[in-house]
Amino acid sequence: MRIVQFVGALLCLLGAPAAAQVIPPPLPAPIVQILPIAPVATPPPIASTKPAPLHETAADALTEDAQEYARQFSVPIAEARSRLVAQEASVTTTDAIADAYRDRLAGIAIEHRPTYRIQVYLTGTEPVADQRVVVGRFSVPVQFRTGARVTRDRVIWAMTNRQAAIRAALRSPPGMGLDPRTGELVITIGSLDARDGIDVIRQRIEGIAGVPVQVRAVDHVDVNLAVEGGARVEGVDPGDGKRYLCTSGFAVTDGTRDAITTAAHCVDELSYRDRTGTLVALPFVAQWGWGYRDVQINASPERLEPTFFADTAKTRVRSVTGTRSRASTRAGDFVCHRGERTGYSCAVVQLTDFAPAGDLCGGACLPTWVAVAGPTCKGGDSGSPVFTGTTALGIVKGASYRRDGSCAFYFYMAVDYLPEGWAILRLPQTPGLARPNR
């Protein structure tokens, strides 16, 4: 028996609505909470074997993502395909720009309207000549904008080292992030703090952080997401004896063992329910859920393939061919995730240096999370894979919901932060090899 891909979201159930981006007046105070895990009944065995999922090629994956891009941005499929190819091909260029202008860099962002282009924001007034990224017949302008107030590095330092003081200066722990287009520290507050006045709050936080601050009053709740199923993974909580459902993200290896990733807030000892309905034990290895991580690893008794479900119906799998770090991810990147509650969906990255509000990381979260625009996220998506094409980006942790229950954005842990010694399984670059590179 072979266990293939595990996809989705291992999560401890937290359900209530969360974050919003609705400007007051008036707004109720934001609530950050983690709700109890929800048990599920033990399901009956599956009577018949489900057919094996089809394997998508890289071209299939590109076409699927391009169809979603074309729908969202109202461009022809051919244009959408060219833009997504250019998005991947331009990573080396923007990495080189970030390195060359590190002392001046405020941020890099991709714009989709009115035309597709890359914007680089720098401090100072010394101009930099525009560039172009040429991919086949498609050409992407790279435009440099000067006048940003401070560098990205300085804002991240302030979020990391002044976070405790900033939280102490407000009634509720705020969300924090870097606006790559202005070089400002973005602080999101609820109505309790907003009563003091936006300008008063801004001046107060600027005095603490030592960087320019942009205050956004929003009605929101940031939460971890809930335990639900995808490729079925189950476990019994020894505390209450109840069974809980989870799903998984990417297949990983430490060089000797194959395993799956999930979110850290799930039952430790898990079993995978395969296509015949048989439960296969996935022994608990370890979990990391503090500050900048939310990941659990459970070992597989068999060798795994470097695949994950991407489609909503879970009839097709994609092979992982590469990974991309948080440092190489840009605001505006078009990325996708496949959650058990929401299925397959795609949206643009909002912030690449984000610290969720509240105490969702065993305390305050560090500014290492990537926030992606809604409207598609629900409890049950946590732990799900985030990807573009066949490139793995990260694992969903939680989301921010509006008071009406709609999804404002979700946030994920980048693949950079897998525990030491573990790497995502992926197809080899050398043709003809059957096993992933280790």
Coordinates of all heavy atoms in Angstrom, one line a residue, residues 175-228:
G175 N -2.2 44.2 15.1 CA -1.5 43.5 14.1 C -0.5 44.5 13.5 O -0.6 45.7 13.6
M176 N 0.6 44.0 13.0 CA 1.7 44.9 12.5 C 2.2 44.4 11.2 O 2.2 43.2 10.9 CB 2.9 45.0 13.5 CG 2.6 45.4 14.9 SD 4.1 45.5 15.9 CE 3.3 45.5 17.5
G177 N 2.6 45.3 10.3 CA 3.2 44.9 9.0 C 3.9 46.0 8.4 O 3.8 47.2 8.8
L178 N 4.7 45.7 7.3 CA 5.4 46.7 6.6 C 4.6 47.0 5.3 O 4.3 46.1 4.5 CB 6.8 46.2 6.2 CG 7.5 47.0 5.1 CD1 7.9 48.4 5.6 CD2 8.7 46.2 4.6
D179 N 4.3 48.3 5.0 CA 3.7 48.7 3.8 C 4.9 48.9 2.8 O 5.7 49.9 2.9 CB 3.0 50.0 3.9 CG 2.2 50.4 2.6 OD1 2.7 50.0 1.6 OD2 1.2 51.2 2.7
P180 N 5.1 48.0 1.8 CA 6.3 48.1 1.0 C 6.3 49.3 0.0 O 7.3 49.6 -0.6 CB 6.2 46.8 0.2 CG 4.8 46.4 0.1 CD 4.2 46.9 1.5
R181 N 5.1 49.9 -0.1 CA 5.0 51.0 -1.0 C 5.4 52.4 -0.4 O 5.6 53.4 -1.1 CB 3.6 51.1 -1.6 CG 3.3 49.9 -2.5 CD 1.8 49.9 -2.9 NE 1.5 48.7 -3.8 CZ 1.3 47.5 -3.3 NH1 1.3 47.2 -2.0 NH2 1.1 46.5 -4.2
T182 N 5.4 52.4 0.9 CA 5.7 53.7 1.6 C 6.8 53.6 2.6 O 7.4 54.6 3.1 CB 4.4 54.2 2.4 OG1 4.1 53.2 3.4 CG2 3.2 54.4 1.5
G183 N 7.2 52.3 3.0 CA 8.2 52.1 4.0 C 7.7 52.5 5.4 O 8.5 52.8 6.2
E184 N 6.4 52.4 5.6 CA 5.8 52.7 6.9 C 5.5 51.4 7.7 O 5.2 50.4 7.1 CB 4.6 53.5 6.7 CG 4.8 54.9 6.1 CD 3.5 55.6 5.9 OE1 2.6 55.0 5.4 OE2 3.4 56.8 6.2
L185 N 5.5 51.5 9.0 CA 5.0 50.5 9.8 C 3.5 50.6 9.9 O 3.0 51.6 10.4 CB 5.7 50.6 11.2 CG 5.1 49.7 12.4 CD1 5.2 48.2 12.0 CD2 5.8 50.0 13.7
V186 N 2.8 49.6 9.5 CA 1.3 49.6 9.6 C 0.9 49.0 10.9 O 1.3 47.8 11.2 CB 0.7 48.8 8.4 CG1 -0.8 48.8 8.5 CG2 1.2 49.4 7.1
I187 N 0.1 49.7 11.6 CA -0.5 49.2 12.9 C -2.0 49.1 12.7 O -2.6 50.1 12.3 CB -0.2 50.1 14.1 CG1 1.3 50.3 14.3 CG2 -0.8 49.7 15.3 CD1 2.0 49.0 14.8
T188 N -2.6 48.0 13.0 CA -4.1 47.8 12.9 C -4.6 47.8 14.3 O -4.2 47.0 15.1 CB -4.5 46.6 12.1 OG1 -3.9 45.4 12.8 CG2 -3.9 46.6 10.7
I189 N -5.6 48.7 14.6 CA -6.1 48.8 15.9 C -7.7 48.7 15.8 O -8.3 48.9 14.8 CB -5.8 50.2 16.6 CG1 -6.3 51.3 15.8 CG2 -4.3 50.3 16.7 CD1 -6.2 52.7 16.4
G190 N -8.3 48.4 17.0 CA -9.7 48.4 17.1 C -10.3 49.7 17.6 O -9.6 50.6 17.9
S191 N -11.6 49.7 17.9 CA -12.3 50.9 18.2 C -11.9 51.4 19.6 O -11.9 52.6 19.9 CB -13.8 50.7 18.1 OG -14.2 49.7 19.0
L192 N -11.5 50.5 20.5 CA -11.1 50.9 21.9 C -9.9 51.9 21.8 O -9.9 52.9 22.5 CB -10.8 49.7 22.8 CG -12.0 48.9 23.3 CD1 -11.5 47.7 24.1 CD2 -13.0 49.8 24.1
D193 N -9.0 51.5 21.0 CA -7.8 52.4 20.9 C -8.1 53.5 20.0 O -7.5 54.6 20.2 CB -6.6 51.6 20.3 CG -6.0 50.6 21.4 OD1 -5.5 51.1 22.4 OD2 -6.1 49.4 21.2
A194 N -9.0 53.3 19.0 CA -9.3 54.4 18.0 C -9.9 55.6 18.7 O -9.9 56.7 18.2 CB -10.1 53.9 16.9
R195 N -10.5 55.4 19.9 CA -11.1 56.5 20.6 C -10.1 57.6 20.9 O -10.5 58.7 21.1 CB -11.8 56.0 21.9 CG -13.0 55.1 21.6 CD -13.5 54.4 22.9 NE -14.5 53.5 22.7 CZ -15.0 52.7 23.7 NH1 -14.5 52.8 24.9 NH2 -15.9 51.8 23.4
D196 N -8.9 57.2 21.1 CA -7.8 58.2 21.4 C -7.5 59.1 20.2 O -6.8 60.1 20.4 CB -6.6 57.5 21.9 CG -6.8 56.7 23.2 OD1 -7.7 57.1 23.9 OD2 -6.0 55.8 23.5
G197 N -7.9 58.7 19.0 CA -7.6 59.4 17.8 C -6.5 58.8 17.0 O -5.5 58.5 17.6
I198 N -6.6 58.8 15.7 CA -5.6 58.1 14.9 C -4.3 58.9 15.0 O -3.2 58.3 15.1 CB -6.1 58.1 13.4 CG1 -7.4 57.2 13.3 CG2 -5.0 57.5 12.5 CD1 -7.2 55.8 13.7
D199 N -4.4 60.2 14.9 CA -3.1 61.0 15.0 C -2.4 60.8 16.3 O -1.2 60.7 16.4 CB -3.4 62.5 14.7 CG -3.8 62.8 13.3 OD1 -3.4 61.9 12.4 OD2 -4.4 63.8 13.0
V200 N -3.2 60.8 17.4 CA -2.6 60.6 18.7 C -1.9 59.2 18.8 O -0.7 59.1 19.2 CB -3.6 60.7 19.8 CG1 -3.0 60.3 21.2 CG2 -4.2 62.1 19.9
I201 N -2.5 58.2 18.3 CA -2.0 56.8 18.3 C -0.7 56.8 17.4 O 0.3 56.2 17.8 CB -3.0 55.8 17.8 CG1 -4.2 55.7 18.7 CG2 -2.3 54.4 17.5 CD1 -3.8 55.1 20.1
R202 N -0.8 57.4 16.2 CA 0.3 57.4 15.3 C 1.6 58.1 16.0 O 2.7 57.5 15.9 CB 0.0 58.2 14.0 CG 1.2 58.2 13.0 CD 0.7 59.0 11.8 NE 0.2 60.3 12.1 CZ 1.0 61.4 12.4 NH1 2.3 61.3 12.5 NH2 0.4 62.5 12.6
Q203 N 1.4 59.2 16.6 CA 2.5 59.9 17.2 C 3.1 59.1 18.4 O 4.3 59.0 18.6 CB 2.1 61.3 17.7 CG 1.7 62.2 16.6 CD 1.1 63.6 17.1 OE1 1.2 63.9 18.3 NE2 0.5 64.3 16.2
R204 N 2.2 58.4 19.1 CA 2.6 57.6 20.3 C 3.5 56.5 19.8 O 4.5 56.2 20.3 CB 1.4 57.1 21.0 CG 1.7 56.3 22.3 CD 0.5 55.6 22.8 NE -0.6 56.6 23.0 CZ -1.9 56.2 23.3 NH1 -2.2 54.9 23.3 NH2 -2.8 57.1 23.5
I205 N 3.0 55.8 18.8 CA 3.7 54.6 18.3 C 5.0 55.0 17.6 O 6.1 54.3 17.7 CB 2.9 53.7 17.4 CG1 1.6 53.3 18.1 CG2 3.6 52.5 16.9 CD1 1.8 52.5 19.4
E206 N 5.0 56.1 16.8 CA 6.2 56.6 16.2 C 7.3 56.9 17.2 O 8.5 56.6 17.0 CB 5.9 57.8 15.3 CG 5.3 57.5 14.0 CD 5.1 58.7 13.2 OE1 5.2 59.9 13.7 OE2 4.8 58.6 11.9
G207 N 6.9 57.4 18.4 CA 7.8 57.7 19.4 C 8.5 56.5 20.0 O 9.6 56.5 20.5
I208 N 7.7 55.4 20.0 CA 8.3 54.1 20.5 C 9.1 53.4 19.4 O 10.2 52.9 19.7 CB 7.1 53.2 20.9 CG1 6.4 53.8 22.1 CG2 7.6 51.8 21.3 CD1 5.1 53.1 22.5
A209 N 8.6 53.3 18.2 CA 9.2 52.5 17.1 C 10.3 53.2 16.5 O 11.3 52.6 16.0 CB 8.1 52.1 16.1
G210 N 10.3 54.5 16.4 CA 11.4 55.3 15.8 C 11.3 55.2 14.3 O 12.3 55.5 13.6
V211 N 10.2 54.8 13.7 CA 9.9 54.8 12.3 C 8.6 55.4 12.0 O 7.7 55.5 12.9 CB 10.0 53.3 11.7 CG1 11.4 52.7 12.0 CG2 8.9 52.5 12.3
P212 N 8.3 55.9 10.7 CA 7.0 56.4 10.4 C 6.0 55.3 10.5 O 6.2 54.1 10.1 CB 7.2 56.9 9.0 CG 8.4 56.2 8.4 CD 9.3 56.0 9.6
V213 N 4.8 55.7 11.0 CA 3.7 54.7 11.3 C 2.5 55.1 10.5 O 2.1 56.3 10.4 CB 3.4 54.7 12.8 CG1 2.2 53.9 13.1 CG2 4.6 54.1 13.5
Q214 N 1.8 54.1 10.0 CA 0.5 54.3 9.4 C -0.5 53.5 10.2 O -0.3 52.3 10.5 CB 0.6 53.7 8.0 CG -0.7 53.7 7.2 CD -0.6 52.9 5.9 OE1 -1.5 52.2 5.5 NE2 0.6 53.0 5.2
V215 N -1.5 54.1 10.8 CA -2.5 53.5 11.6 C -3.8 53.2 10.9 O -4.3 54.1 10.2 CB -2.8 54.4 12.9 CG1 -3.9 53.7 13.8 CG2 -1.6 54.7 13.7
R216 N -4.2 52.0 11.0 CA -5.5 51.6 10.3 C -6.4 51.1 11.4 O -6.1 50.1 12.1 CB -5.2 50.5 9.3 CG -4.3 50.9 8.1 CD -4.1 49.7 7.2 NE -3.1 50.1 6.2 CZ -2.6 49.2 5.3 NH1 -3.1 47.9 5.3 NH2 -1.8 49.6 4.3
A217 N -7.6 51.7 11.5 CA -8.6 51.3 12.5 C -9.5 50.3 11.7 O -10.1 50.6 10.7 CB -9.4 52.4 13.0
V218 N -9.4 49.0 12.2 CA -10.2 48.0 11.5 C -10.9 47.1 12.5 O -10.5 46.9 13.6 CB -9.2 47.1 10.6 CG1 -8.6 47.9 9.5 CG2 -8.2 46.4 11.5
D219 N -12.1 46.6 12.0 CA -12.9 45.7 12.8 C -12.5 44.3 12.5 O -13.0 43.8 11.4 CB -14.4 46.0 12.5 CG -15.3 45.1 13.3 OD1 -14.9 44.5 14.3 OD2 -16.5 45.0 12.9
H220 N -11.7 43.6 13.3 CA -11.2 42.4 12.9 C -11.0 41.4 14.0 O -10.9 41.8 15.2 CB -9.9 42.5 12.1 CG -8.8 42.9 13.0 ND1 -8.6 44.1 13.6 CD2 -7.7 42.1 13.5 CE1 -7.5 44.1 14.4 NE2 -7.0 42.9 14.3
V221 N -10.9 40.1 13.6 CA -10.5 39.1 14.6 C -9.5 38.2 13.9 O -9.8 37.7 12.8 CB -11.7 38.2 15.0 CG1 -11.2 37.2 16.1 CG2 -12.8 39.1 15.6
D222 N -8.3 38.1 14.4 CA -7.3 37.1 13.9 C -7.3 35.9 14.7 O -7.3 35.9 15.9 CB -5.9 37.7 14.0 CG -5.6 38.9 13.1 OD1 -6.5 39.2 12.3 OD2 -4.6 39.5 13.1
V223 N -7.4 34.7 14.0 CA -7.5 33.4 14.7 C -6.7 32.4 13.9 O -6.4 32.5 12.7 CB -8.9 32.9 14.8 CG1 -9.8 33.9 15.6 CG2 -9.6 32.7 13.5
N224 N -6.3 31.3 14.7 CA -5.8 30.1 14.0 C -7.0 29.5 13.4 O -8.2 29.7 13.8 CB -5.1 29.2 15.0 CG -3.8 29.6 15.4 OD1 -3.0 30.2 14.6 ND2 -3.4 29.3 16.6
L225 N -6.8 28.6 12.4 CA -7.9 27.9 11.7 C -8.2 26.6 12.4 O -7.5 26.1 13.2 CB -7.7 27.8 10.2 CG -7.7 29.2 9.5 CD1 -7.3 29.1 8.1 CD2 -9.0 29.9 9.7
A226 N -9.3 25.9 11.9 CA -9.8 24.8 12.6 C -9.4 23.5 12.1 O -9.0 23.3 10.9 CB -11.3 24.9 12.6
V227 N -9.6 22.4 12.9 CA -9.4 21.1 12.5 C -10.5 20.6 11.6 O -11.6 20.5 12.0 CB -9.3 20.1 13.7 CG1 -9.1 18.7 13.3 CG2 -8.1 20.6 14.6
E228 N -10.1 20.3 10.3 CA -11.1 19.7 9.4 C -10.3 18.7 8.5 O -9.0 18.7 8.6 CB -11.7 20.8 8.5 CG -12.4 21.9 9.3 CD -13.8 21.5 9.7 OE1 -14.2 20.3 9.6 OE2 -14.5 22.4 10.1

